Amino acid sequence: MISFSIERDIATISSTGSTRKALTLTSWADRPAKVDLRTWRQDESGAELPGKGLTLTDDEAAALAHALTAYLTEKGAGHGA
């Protein structure tokens, strides 16, 4: 398994039992940390194991934040799905 280090927990988006979907700042394979959105499962020893997710640069995270803000603003105004 590839090495990783969660450098900062930004937010837990949802959780069910021993699994959570979280936004973190994570370093993969000793590379600089990036914004990471993925599921994490806690094993019997309490260690967190990564599931499927997305790793984003700061620019990609900013673009996603902008797109989500626009979408939620439209939806709140009654123009979205």
Side-chain angles (χ1 to χ4, degrees), residues 24-77:
T24 63
L25 191 61
T26 302
S27 170
W28 294 95
D30 296 322
R31 293 188 178 143
K34 293 184 180 181
V35 176
D36 198 76
L37 176 62
R38 77 181 53 249
T39 57
W40 294 89
R41 181 181 58 84
Q42 205 168 45
D43 70 8
E44 304 79 34
S45 72
E48 284 198 301
L49 303 174
K52 292 182 179 181
L54 298 171
T55 300
L56 305 168
T57 64
D58 285 346
D59 288 342
E60 291 168 332
L64 177 60
H66 178 76
L68 285 171
T69 298
Y71 166 73
L72 293 171
T73 300
E74 279 182 25
K75 186 174 181 179

Side-chain angles (χ1 to χ4, degrees), residues 6-12 20 22-25 40 48:
I6 298 174
E7 294 188 3
R8 180 175 169 201
D9 257 321
I10 299 169
T12 295
R20 70 184 184 122
L23 184 65
T24 63
L25 191 61
W40 294 89
E48 284 198 301

